[in-house]
Amino acid sequence: MIEEFSFENYRSFKTMTTLNMTAANIKSRMSRLDADNVIRLNDQGALLKTKAIYGANASGKSNIVKALVSFIHIVVLSVKDENVLGKNLAPFFLSNETIGKPVFFQLVFRHDGVRYRYGFQADIEKIHTEWLYATPCKREQPYFIREGKLLKSINKTHFPEGETLLNLLKNDEDNPIFRQDSLFLTTLSSFGVGKLSKMLVEEIGRLYVIDGLKNPGAFEKSRAALESPEMKKLIEQFLTLADTGVDRLDTIEVSSSKGDEHKHALNDQKKKWVVAVKTIYNAKKEKVATMAMPISLFESEGTNKMFEISTFIINSLREGRTLIIDEFDARFHPLITQKLVELFNSVANKEGQLIFVTHDTNLLSAELLRRDQIDFVEKDTYGISHLYTLVQFKGIRDTDSFEKNYIRGKYGAIPFVGGLNSLFAHFDDDAKA
């Protein structure tokens, strides 16, 4: 479960920015929100189950998602891919203050009752600093602190595996095993001695991040999930949320075409198609037969998106994982997005989290979300994006219409469209001419 994700000097975000999933000390008019929309922790705190992020086009909303994706990629791939820093780091470039400065990433998350705080600073060539803290008891403990390629401290009691690898590497600046462009945590997780490190890297890699407009691997993931009878049933039930008219889903094998332009060995294998089975009725509205059609060819984009994200949502709810979706409302009816948010905010959901970027103002309701579950992104005149939450505004009541206030610009984070008047005037002039 994510508690906080912080980043600095990344794309349109110049200053330190924190996506905060910690529940604020507030009371909602709808008391059920304070009970159902949060995950209670043993140390008396609470985490939010959902977070909505609003803002104008090009305000930087998607850059929050990209920052998290970059962080995950670097943590998971820094040992395997020597170019992972260059592929994922894009510093803020509209200020001479940030030129040459590293990008900052830090994730605070919970796993098995322990709070971990892990982060690093890096540029496209090397890791500048790296750290891991944890709270196995009441007080936070430093597990390791790294500067450059040197490890400044190792907690021998709580993080003995770090010392084991340190003895192997002998803290040698020229040791090729410990590269300046790879993370110590990732390096440690790749060795057999790094049990805790491996778990942390795997947990970070288990964060689901998908694009609501295009996510090529999502369809295949859901197709593979249909091999499990239990998952197949859940996915079919999930599709009923959108009233798609799909009775059931099946997979059929179709031989690959031999006449393809680019022949290769895979042409001799069979491809599995996902088909939607629907009922055929006669004039008397009686069921007479069923018909199976490939879902990717004959179903709507909305139905295909529901199928693509189904596995991510089901696994997030079942396994208590965090799901981040950009363009959440794309191709969805407002009632569908509302239902999905309600799923995560339900009593049945114990640890799953949903963070989503959206323009769907239908969700800006005090009957659906707490004030700390609504964030906004706004870009200033210097091209710098800023993230803030509705709970920061003074005098906002749950009896207010969050949606109307947002559209009217009371919370900021909306596009300035006044310049369109001159465009229409130009058209009018052309018409008169």
Side-chain angles (χ1 to χ4, degrees), residues 70-276:
S70 294
F71 171 78
I72 295 170
H73 283 176
I74 294 171
V75 171
V76 174
L77 301 173
S78 70
V79 170
K80 299 178 182 178
D81 186 354
E82 295 186 8
N83 298 314
V84 71
L85 297 180
K87 292 176 182 177
N88 287 278
L89 296 182
F92 182 80
F93 62 87
L94 296 180
S95 171
N96 58 13
E97 294 178 281
T98 55
I99 295 175
K101 287 190 174 182
V103 176
F104 175 100
F105 289 131
Q106 178 175 269
L107 181 69
V108 181
F109 63 103
R110 305 266 180 156
H111 179 70
D112 285 344
V114 180
R115 180 181 186 268
Y116 295 96
R117 179 164 66 89
Y118 172 70
F120 57 88
Q121 288 181 294
D123 57 30
I124 61 173
E125 295 181 347
K126 63 181 180 180
I127 308 294
H128 288 248
T129 59
E130 183 183 0
W131 58 91
L132 173 64
Y133 289 78
T135 312
C137 300
K138 293 184 178 180
R139 184 175 297 179
E140 186 180 65
Q141 301 286 333
Y143 277 24
F144 75 80
I145 299 174
R146 164 196 181 178
E147 292 183 11
K149 283 182 63 178
L150 296 176
L151 292 165
K152 293 298 184 180
S153 69
I154 291 283
N155 191 317
K156 298 178 182 179
T157 302
H158 296 289
F159 200 64
E161 63 194 57
E163 186 181 22
T164 301
L165 184 60
L166 185 62
N167 291 332
L168 175 64
L169 302 177
K170 296 180 181 178
N171 218 7
D172 185 355
E173 283 277 2
D174 300 319
N175 197 309
I177 301 176
F178 189 26
R179 304 193 319 266
Q180 67 171 1
D181 57 355
S182 66
L183 294 170
F184 179 65
L185 187 74
T186 315
T187 302
L188 192 53
S189 70
S190 64
F191 285 79
V193 296
K195 185 177 179 181
L196 177 58
S197 300
K198 184 178 181 181
M199 181 277 289
L200 293 175
V201 170
E202 288 178 348
E203 286 303 311
I204 292 173
R206 276 163 51 88
L207 295 173
Y208 284 140
V209 184
I210 60 176
D211 188 330
L213 286 175
K214 54 185 183 302
N215 203 73
F219 190 93
E220 176 57 28
K221 188 175 183 66
S222 291
R223 187 209 64 75
L226 293 177
E227 302 294 329
S228 163
E230 182 184 8
M231 279 296 294
K232 180 175 180 293
K233 183 179 180 180
L234 289 171
I235 292 173
E236 290 171 342
Q237 291 176 348
F238 184 76
L239 289 182
T240 63
L241 289 174
D243 193 24
T244 59
V246 175
D247 295 331
R248 72 174 191 273
L249 294 171
D250 283 328
T251 55
I252 60 174
E253 289 188 344
V254 180
S255 298
S256 300
S257 173
K258 299 288 185 180
D260 289 346
E261 238 179 50
H262 307 288
K263 291 185 178 181
H264 50 73
L266 292 179
N267 281 337
D268 294 329
Q269 298 182 358
K270 291 185 176 181
K271 183 177 181 180
K272 288 189 175 182
W273 286 76
V274 177
V275 295

Side-chain angles (χ1 to χ4, degrees), residues 380-410:
D380 63 24
T381 55
Y382 301 99
I384 303 171
S385 296
H386 303 275
L387 175 69
Y388 51 96
T389 182
L390 182 59
V391 80
Q392 294 175 232
F393 286 81
K394 303 298 182 182
I396 301 298
R397 300 177 180 177
D398 288 344
T399 53
D400 297 341
S401 172
F402 296 163
E403 182 179 17
K404 287 183 180 179
N405 285 344
Y406 175 60
I407 294 298
R408 291 171 181 170
K410 189 170 183 178

Side-chain angles (χ1 to χ4, degrees), residues 287-339:
K287 296 180 181 180
V288 294
T290 58
M291 178 171 58
M293 300 175 291
I295 188 172
S296 60
L297 299 178
F298 294 96
E299 292 299 321
S300 69
E301 290 186 350
T303 299
N304 273 277
K305 180 178 175 179
M306 284 290 286
F307 175 70
E308 289 175 358
I309 71 171
S310 62
T311 303
F312 295 96
I313 288 180
I314 291 168
N315 286 340
S316 178
L317 291 169
R318 292 174 73 194
E319 302 171 9
R321 296 167 71 170
T322 301
L323 170 63
I324 302 96
I325 305 181
D326 196 4
E327 301 290 351
F328 177 58
D329 53 307
R331 307 190 184 108
F332 278 167
H333 189 278
L335 291 179
I336 301 300
T337 55
Q338 180 179 326
K339 188 63 179 178

